[in-house]
């Protein structure tokens, strides 16, 4: 009921249950990211090194049945309800029915520990000079540090061009988003505030404490990413803090979207 009221004011606002919030530190389950659709739950991503990946679930699978849940009841489930149903003890199996390319099949998945991994990176196989950084969400104390480590590792591989993938990234910590932009944009203004009183002190957020209506972030590290051409991938699932990163980099002509 609370979430229904929130959506009246902001389609992206969502009151997160405490157990879901704590899952940022990891949880026991399958390792799926899904979107609710009319016929069930559409798999938008299978996390690496998870039970779902071992069971060969893939993007585009449609979950239409979960063992022990009536099909009609599943259609009434929220994503939070589904998450609770798919979690359980390590080693306990759950059976799913999925539709893939028009055919239905049963899949048994053995639950395992899912480690939170907000940032991953690799190098393009057909061009080792192009790096790839995937940011799944913006988690306080993790994401910006994770991006820094990824860029440091990619530099040692002689990468000099970068693709930042934030498709399906729903947002998260604004502080982390500002920090990520700062890695590429330096001390330019990243976020401006108008008629807003922050509950948190601004001193840790800005490079000039006297400027109370602007939030800034200094790069303050050694890799010159300004020399790297940058392409940012976004889609309809990129929202909130994710939009801050995309908008800031685009306005400052630092990236192609």
């Amino acid at each position: 009921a609370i979430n229904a009221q929130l959506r009246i004011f902001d389609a992206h606002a969502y009151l997160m249950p405490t157990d879901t919030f704590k899952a940022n530190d990891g949880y026991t389950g399958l390792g799926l990211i899904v979107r609710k659709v009319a016929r069930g739950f559409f798999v938008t991503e299978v996390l690496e090194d998870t039970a779902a990946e071992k069971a060969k679930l893939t993007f585009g699978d449609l979950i239409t049945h979960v063992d022990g849940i009536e099909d009609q009841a599943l259609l009434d489930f929220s994503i939070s309800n589904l998450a609770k149903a798919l979690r359980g003890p390590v080693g306990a199996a759950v059976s799913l029915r999925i539709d893939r390319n028009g055919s239905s099949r049963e899949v048994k998945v053995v639950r395992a520990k899912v480690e939170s991994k907000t940032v991953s990176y690799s190098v393009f196989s057909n061009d080792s000079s192009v790096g790839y950084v995937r940011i799944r969400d913006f988690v306080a104390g993790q994401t910006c540090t994770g991006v820094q480590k990824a860029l440091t590792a990619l530099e040692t591989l002689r990468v000099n061009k970068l693709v930042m993938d934030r498709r399906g990234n729903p947002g998260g910590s604004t502080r982390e988003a500002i920090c990520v932009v700062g890695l590429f944009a330096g001390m330019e203004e990243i976020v401006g505030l108008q008629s807003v009183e922050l509950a948190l002190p601004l001193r840790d957020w800005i490079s000039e404490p006297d400027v109370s209506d602007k939030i800034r972030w200094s790069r303050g590290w050694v890799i010159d990413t300004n020399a790297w051409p940058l392409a940012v991938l976004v889609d309809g699932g990129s929202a909130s803090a994710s939009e801050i990163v995309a908008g800031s980099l685009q306005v400052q002509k630092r990236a192609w979207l």
Side-chain angles (χ1 to χ4, degrees):
I2 294 177
N3 284 323
Q5 290 295 316
L6 287 174
R7 282 194 291 271
I8 295 174
F9 303 100
D10 184 347
H12 298 293
Y14 173 67
L15 181 65
M16 182 182 292
T18 304
D19 54 352
T20 303
F21 178 78
K22 290 179 178 179
N24 281 329
D25 295 326
Y27 61 93
T28 300
L30 308 191
L32 291 172
I33 296 177
V34 301
R35 173 166 53 88
K36 187 173 182 180
V37 295
R39 295 181 49 231
F41 292 87
F42 182 88
V43 176
T44 59
E45 186 174 358
V46 177
L47 303 184
E48 297 175 3
D49 301 321
T50 61
E53 184 180 59
K54 291 179 181 178
K56 301 189 183 304
L57 294 175
T58 187
F59 170 86
D61 285 345
L62 181 67
I63 300 173
T64 59
H65 178 80
V66 176
D67 191 31
I69 301 173
E70 295 289 336
D71 290 354
Q72 184 56 50
L74 184 66
L75 292 178
D76 295 331
F77 267 26
S78 65
I79 291 178
S80 179
N81 294 144
L82 180 70
K84 290 179 181 178
L86 296 182
R87 292 175 186 172
V90 171
V94 58
S95 294
L96 308 177
R97 184 185 307 130
I98 63 169
D99 283 354
R100 180 183 298 171
N101 299 326
S103 62
S104 181
R105 65 184 70 188
E106 300 286 334
V107 178
K108 180 177 286 188
V109 188
V110 179
R111 295 179 178 95
K113 181 71 174 177
V114 179
E115 299 291 345
S116 176
K117 192 175 182 180
T118 66
V119 179
S120 58
Y121 68 92
S122 61
V123 172
F124 278 68
S125 58
N126 60 344
D127 187 347
S128 61
S129 70
V130 182
Y132 172 85
V133 176
R134 172 82 169 104
I135 306 177
R136 291 189 173 87
D137 52 12
F138 292 91
V139 178
Q142 296 184 30
T143 302
C144 192
T145 300
V147 173
Q148 287 183 357
K149 290 179 179 178
L151 295 177
T152 301
L154 290 171
E155 187 191 38
T156 65
L157 297 174
R158 300 185 183 279
V159 162
N160 55 30
K161 295 179 282 291
L162 189 67
V163 174
M164 183 193 298
D165 189 353
R166 288 181 296 97
R167 291 173 294 181
N169 182 326
S173 168
T174 302
R175 185 188 294 263
E176 294 295 312
I178 292 169
C179 182
V180 169
V181 175
L183 298 179
F184 297 94
M187 295 182 68
E188 297 295 326
E189 179 188 342
I190 295 172
V191 175
L193 302 178
Q194 288 185 326
S195 302
V196 174
E197 294 183 4
L198 290 182
L200 297 175
L202 277 166
R203 183 169 296 275
D204 294 334
W205 287 59
I206 59 179
S207 59
E208 299 175 17
D210 293 333
V211 184
S212 60
D213 64 338
K214 293 178 172 58
I215 297 177
R216 302 168 184 260
W217 195 284
S218 173
R219 250 188 334 116
W221 67 314
V222 296
I223 297 178
D224 185 14
T225 53
N226 286 321
W228 294 10
L230 174 63
V232 177
L233 305 181
V234 294
D235 64 7
S238 305
S240 190
S242 190
E243 294 173 299
I244 289 176
V245 175
S248 297
L249 293 174
Q250 184 180 45
V251 166
Q252 296 180 43
K253 296 180 169 54
R254 183 58 191 87
W256 291 280
L257 268 59

